[in-house]
Protein backbone atom coordinates (compact mmCIF):
# COMPACT_ATOMS: atom_id res chain seq x y z
CA UNK A 1 0.00 0.00 0.00
CA UNK A 2 1.16 3.53 -0.76
CA UNK A 3 0.04 6.14 1.77
CA UNK A 4 0.01 9.75 0.59
CA UNK A 5 0.41 12.68 2.95
CA UNK A 6 -0.75 15.87 1.24
CA UNK A 7 -2.77 18.96 2.09
CA UNK A 8 -4.30 19.18 -1.39
CA UNK A 9 -5.74 16.80 -3.99
CA UNK A 10 -5.66 14.00 -1.39
CA UNK A 11 -8.60 12.02 -2.78
CA UNK A 12 -7.23 11.75 -6.30
CA UNK A 13 -3.63 11.32 -5.16
CA UNK A 14 -4.89 8.36 -3.13
CA UNK A 15 -6.56 6.97 -6.28
CA UNK A 16 -3.30 7.33 -8.19
CA UNK A 17 -1.35 5.72 -5.35
CA UNK A 18 -3.77 2.77 -5.27
CA UNK A 19 -3.42 2.34 -9.03
CA UNK A 20 0.38 2.56 -8.78
CA UNK A 21 0.28 0.06 -5.94
CA UNK A 22 -1.45 -2.49 -8.19
CA UNK A 23 0.57 -1.80 -11.33
CA UNK A 24 3.94 -1.74 -9.59
CA UNK A 25 3.11 -4.67 -7.33
CA UNK A 26 3.91 -2.87 -4.10
CA UNK A 27 4.19 -5.22 -1.15
CA UNK A 28 4.09 -3.76 2.35
CA UNK A 29 3.39 -0.11 3.11
CA UNK A 30 5.25 2.94 1.88
CA UNK A 31 4.49 6.57 2.66
CA UNK A 32 5.02 9.53 0.33
CA UNK A 33 4.97 13.18 1.35
CA UNK A 34 3.68 15.77 -1.11
CA UNK A 35 4.41 19.45 -0.70
CA UNK A 36 3.24 22.30 -2.90
CA UNK A 37 5.76 25.06 -3.45
CA UNK A 38 5.99 28.37 -5.28
CA UNK A 39 7.77 28.79 -8.59
CA UNK A 40 10.51 30.71 -6.82
CA UNK A 41 10.94 27.90 -4.27
CA UNK A 42 11.06 25.11 -6.84
CA UNK A 43 13.60 27.10 -8.87
CA UNK A 44 15.76 27.44 -5.76
CA UNK A 45 15.35 23.74 -4.89
CA UNK A 46 16.21 22.73 -8.44
CA UNK A 47 19.36 24.85 -8.38
CA UNK A 48 20.42 23.73 -4.92
CA UNK A 49 19.76 20.01 -5.31
CA UNK A 50 20.31 19.39 -9.03
CA UNK A 51 22.36 22.36 -10.22
CA UNK A 52 19.62 23.27 -12.71
CA UNK A 53 18.95 27.01 -12.87
CA UNK A 54 15.24 27.01 -13.72
CA UNK A 55 11.83 26.25 -12.35
CA UNK A 56 10.13 22.93 -13.06
CA UNK A 57 6.82 21.18 -12.42
CA UNK A 58 7.91 18.61 -9.85
CA UNK A 59 11.00 17.45 -7.99
CA UNK A 60 11.40 14.03 -6.41
CA UNK A 61 13.51 13.23 -3.38
CA UNK A 62 13.74 9.48 -2.73
CA UNK A 63 14.70 8.42 0.77
CA UNK A 64 15.80 4.94 -0.31
CA UNK A 65 18.76 4.01 -2.50
CA UNK A 66 16.89 1.01 -3.86
CA UNK A 67 13.13 0.86 -3.53
CA UNK A 68 12.67 -2.90 -3.56
CA UNK A 69 9.90 -5.02 -2.12
CA UNK A 70 8.61 -5.66 0.40
CA UNK A 71 8.15 -2.28 2.01
CA UNK A 72 8.24 -3.55 5.57
CA UNK A 73 10.33 -3.50 8.73
CA UNK A 74 12.17 -6.75 7.95
CA UNK A 75 13.37 -5.46 4.56
CA UNK A 76 14.07 -1.91 5.77
CA UNK A 77 14.97 -2.23 9.47
CA UNK A 78 16.90 1.07 9.50
CA UNK A 79 14.24 3.03 7.59
CA UNK A 80 10.96 1.66 8.89
CA UNK A 81 8.91 4.29 10.73
CA UNK A 82 6.91 2.66 13.52
CA UNK A 83 4.83 5.79 14.09
CA UNK A 84 3.60 5.53 10.47
CA UNK A 85 3.67 1.74 10.24
CA UNK A 86 5.36 2.25 6.89
CA UNK A 87 8.62 2.75 5.07
CA UNK A 88 9.12 6.43 4.12
CA UNK A 89 9.64 6.24 0.36
CA UNK A 90 10.39 9.90 -0.27
CA UNK A 91 8.90 13.29 -0.88
CA UNK A 92 7.97 15.43 -3.82
CA UNK A 93 7.65 19.15 -4.38
CA UNK A 94 4.96 20.14 -6.87
CA UNK A 95 4.72 23.63 -8.32
CA UNK A 96 1.13 24.33 -9.33
CA UNK A 97 2.08 27.80 -10.59
CA UNK A 98 4.57 26.33 -13.08
CA UNK A 99 2.12 23.59 -14.11
CA UNK A 100 -0.65 26.18 -14.66
CA UNK A 101 1.56 28.27 -16.95
CA UNK A 102 2.64 25.21 -18.91
CA UNK A 103 -0.97 24.00 -19.21
CA UNK A 104 -2.03 27.38 -20.57
CA UNK A 105 0.82 27.37 -23.10
CA UNK A 106 0.29 23.73 -24.13
CA UNK A 107 -3.51 24.00 -24.01
CA UNK A 108 -3.72 21.00 -21.67
CA UNK A 109 -5.93 20.47 -18.65
CA UNK A 110 -4.22 21.91 -15.57
CA UNK A 111 -5.49 19.42 -13.00
CA UNK A 112 -4.58 16.47 -15.23
CA UNK A 113 -1.08 17.89 -15.45
CA UNK A 114 -0.92 18.08 -11.64
CA UNK A 115 -1.94 14.40 -11.47
CA UNK A 116 0.67 13.51 -14.10
CA UNK A 117 3.37 15.38 -12.15
CA UNK A 118 2.40 13.43 -9.01
CA UNK A 119 2.46 10.11 -10.90
CA UNK A 120 5.76 10.97 -12.58
CA UNK A 121 7.35 11.83 -9.25
CA UNK A 122 5.96 8.69 -7.62
CA UNK A 123 7.65 6.60 -10.30
CA UNK A 124 10.93 8.40 -9.63
CA UNK A 125 10.58 7.51 -5.95
CA UNK A 126 10.26 3.86 -6.99
CA UNK A 127 13.46 4.12 -9.04
CA UNK A 128 12.18 4.88 -12.52
CA UNK A 129 14.12 7.41 -14.59
CA UNK A 130 14.06 8.92 -18.07
CA UNK A 131 17.70 9.58 -18.95
CA UNK A 132 17.48 7.54 -22.16
CA UNK A 133 14.68 7.48 -24.72
CA UNK A 134 13.95 3.86 -23.82
CA UNK A 135 13.64 4.74 -20.11
CA UNK A 136 11.39 7.69 -21.03
CA UNK A 137 9.10 5.42 -23.06
CA UNK A 138 8.84 2.88 -20.22
CA UNK A 139 8.21 5.57 -17.60
CA UNK A 140 5.65 7.43 -19.74
CA UNK A 141 3.78 4.18 -20.44
CA UNK A 142 3.67 3.44 -16.68
CA UNK A 143 2.35 6.96 -16.01
CA UNK A 144 -0.43 6.40 -18.54
CA UNK A 145 -1.27 2.96 -17.09
CA UNK A 146 -1.49 4.36 -13.56
CA UNK A 147 -3.54 7.39 -14.57
CA UNK A 148 -5.91 5.26 -16.66
CA UNK A 149 -6.39 2.71 -13.86
CA UNK A 150 -7.17 5.60 -11.47
CA UNK A 151 -9.68 6.99 -14.01
CA UNK A 152 -7.70 10.22 -14.31
CA UNK A 153 -6.16 9.97 -17.78
CA UNK A 154 -7.37 12.83 -19.96
Amino acid sequence: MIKVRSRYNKKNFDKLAAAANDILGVAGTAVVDVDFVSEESIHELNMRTRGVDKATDVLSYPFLDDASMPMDESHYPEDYDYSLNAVPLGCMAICREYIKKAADEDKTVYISDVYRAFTHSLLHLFGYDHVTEEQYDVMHAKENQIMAKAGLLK
Side-chain angles (χ1 to χ4, degrees):
M1 169 194 304
I2 304 167
K3 295 180 182 179
V4 179
R5 296 193 307 179
S6 176
R7 293 180 304 186
Y8 306 104
N9 306 96
K10 178 88 168 94
K11 180 179 174 186
N12 284 329
F13 285 168
D14 283 342
K15 282 183 184 179
L16 289 162
N21 190 74
D22 291 347
I23 289 168
L24 300 177
V26 176
T29 305
V31 66
V32 174
D33 290 312
V34 181
D35 198 10
F36 290 89
V37 298
S38 69
E39 194 165 355
E40 181 181 324
S41 294
I42 207 155
H43 185 163
E44 181 183 312
L45 278 169
N46 208 10
M47 184 63 188
R48 191 173 64 228
T49 61
R50 298 179 60 233
V52 178
D53 191 16
K54 66 178 187 173
T56 189
D57 57 347
V58 64
L59 291 170
S60 310
Y61 298 100
F63 296 158
L64 306 173
D65 292 329
D66 177 29
S68 58
M69 300 307 147
M71 294 282 170
D72 64 20
E73 61 187 304
S74 65
H75 196 73
Y76 291 101
E78 302 293 319
D79 300 299
Y80 192 81
D81 187 324
Y82 290 92
S83 68
L84 300 171
N85 291 318
V87 176
L89 185 61
C91 64
M92 62 181 78
I94 297 176
C95 181
R96 293 183 293 187
E97 182 181 351
Y98 182 93
I99 293 170
K100 176 70 172 125
K101 286 180 186 177
D104 289 346
E105 288 175 15
D106 298 341
K107 302 204 182 328
T108 57
V109 178
Y110 159 75
I111 197 63
S112 294
D113 292 348
V114 170
Y115 298 149
R116 182 166 298 278
F118 171 84
T119 305
H120 183 87
S121 184
L122 189 60
L123 287 170
H124 275 305
L125 297 179
F126 275 102
Y128 286 79
D129 209 343
H130 48 81
V131 175
T132 68
E133 190 173 328
E134 183 180 340
Q135 288 174 327
Y136 173 84
D137 291 344
V138 167
M139 190 168 177
H140 191 69
K142 286 283 186 208
E143 287 174 21
N144 286 340
Q145 279 183 291
I146 291 166
M147 292 181 70
K149 184 167 182 71
L152 298 170
L153 184 65
K154 300 286 181 207

